[in-house]
Amino acid sequence: MRERPRIQDDSGESPALGVLDPVDQLPLRVGLAAFDSEAAAPRVPADRAVDFGQRGPAVDARLTGAEKVQIRSVEDENGACLSGHNVPGYTTAFGAATKPARAAGRSEIGRAHARLLGQILLEAGQTTLETLERALGRIRGSGERLGEALVAMGAVASEDVLRALAAQANLPFLTRDELPTSIPILKNLSPQYLRQYRVCPVSIDGNTLTVATADPTNLLLLDDLRLSLAMQIKVAVAAPEGILEAIERTYTGAATPLQRIVEGMEDSGAPGEGDEDVSHLRDMAFEAPVVRLVNLIIENALGAEASDIHLEPFEDALRVRYRIDGVLYDQEAPPRRLQAAVTSRIKIMAEMNIAERRLPQDGRIRVVLHSRRVDIRVSTVPTVYGESIVMRLLDRSTIFLPLERLGFPPETQARLERLITLPHGILLVTGPTGSGKTTTLYAALDKINAPDKKIITVEDPVEYQLKGVNQIPVKAKIGLTFATGLRHIVRQDPDVIMIGEIRDLETAEIAIQASLTGHLVFSTLHTNDAPGAIPRLQDMGCEPYLVSSVLEGVLAQRLVRRICASCRAPYEAEPSDLVALGLPPGEWRQALFHGRGCAECRGTGYRGRLGIYELFPISEDVRSLILRKASSGELRRYATENGMVTLREDGWAKARAGLTTVAEVLRVTQEES
Ligand SMILES: [Zn+2]
């Protein structure tokens, strides 16, 4: 004998064991679902686990073979739903005793049904008496149903069995064409659930929902629908193929996931905008559809490999844009009436003050989505139409790459590796915001990181945590700036210092001082090209003799979009683009590539990015040029004449290699000319 199953009542608490007898006489209907585990779906056919109607809830839980049986509903003869505890005669002693008499009764009912089905099929001329006898012989003792047996024997088409089942139960049968093109969407019904049970809503009339099912004998399913939707359920029969088609048409068709969430929100009485008080904002922010909507916006951004999400309010619309590979793309946006809810949700996630809507705020979100840890820096600024939000997705996998994978030309890489292993001096990486400077510095630190070196950084913010490196985040509010941080870390006896950015003379002077006292300093500057770093430092007020004695090299860089590998194709570049790149005419004949656009790259022709670089090592000649206060033009001329590969030259080499396009190289280097 099997171990007695545990039976759990509706409250989800106090699992009880016992015998069902006390309620045997009551005209009750019990809906039962058997679960192998909490998450699993009911897997026991209604006619095996439950006696519906007539004689009371004689439940042979042992028949279910399930670990746990959950009482889903108990109702009286009028169909009124009673909770487990106020059913007359109900004790917590729902039980597992089998009554042989009842078991016999059930099988009699089953046989009567089978005969009826057979009769219908016979009358419709769809089977013969002989076939029917064989099928009945086959199902004897097997637990198979007559209809299943006939289909398995190839004697009757499954649709004909379904029609007969419908006729037997006096239910309408719907053909494929009679099912709706788009099924009604109910917010408590997921497409997964509908697919699993091959059931779909057909129409709604007041509080009555008509559903099509391929198994009208599955009363558990119908009970489950009635309870979870709190609606009356009318049943029609349809073939499972047609039902699945209708589900797919609806859920993978015109409506996007965002539209489906938003539709659900209309039904639930959507929050408007205006002067909601804070507790109302908070309530809205915790509503399930709002949570799902914001998660979806973040998930989609991750899926598109976006670096930023921009949520901007305008007079009549909310705009959502993703920055993907450095370029902004418009995205599907929720309607403006959800602005207050969405904004509040994001602010709560970022631990901001939701009552404050007139001042800019900064925050940070740490979430786990699909087992991926995501750090998001959030900033809000008030605009005339409400708060504009930018979310920066800090993805560890894109911010950190080893030096070898950054796409340096071999010679540049060898030079750079020499520079980052010097005992002291300053190495600068230059370029506009978003040109990958931080990624390069992290890769450099990682390359030289070893137990015999002490490395300290001051960063704004710390975007990636390097093992064994002391990283200090800038906190301007409390006076911890690049300059103050740097002043203090020099006393911490580091070998290598990385300072996020040199923005002012104070920071520049401390960096120079640090390198003069035997430290190697890495930092960044905003200049267009590598030689331009020298006049920039002098403009800040740095003494040329100091700059010339400590500066060891300047690396300028940009990120270009990589051609999508799935749709790369040769094409003819615009001659004007080639001229703009300053190419010698002989090179124009070479095959160039672009991406035609495909699903992989969302039609953009690009996927991912790579760096283009220009490294300017500071030779003795350059030091004397610095002392002479040479102009940036002079410095640049000297650099190119002495073999410096420029950003455009490196970009052109990567375009010829089919990695990026000429247009991309021009786009990211145009400010130079
Ligand atoms: Zn593509």
Side-chain angles (χ1 to χ4, degrees), residues 563-568 595-607:
I563 295 173
C564 170
S566 308
C567 61
R568 176 168 46 209
R596 275 187 306 231
C598 67
E600 291 281 301
C601 57
R602 306 154 60 90
T604 61
Y606 295 103
R607 187 131 193 242

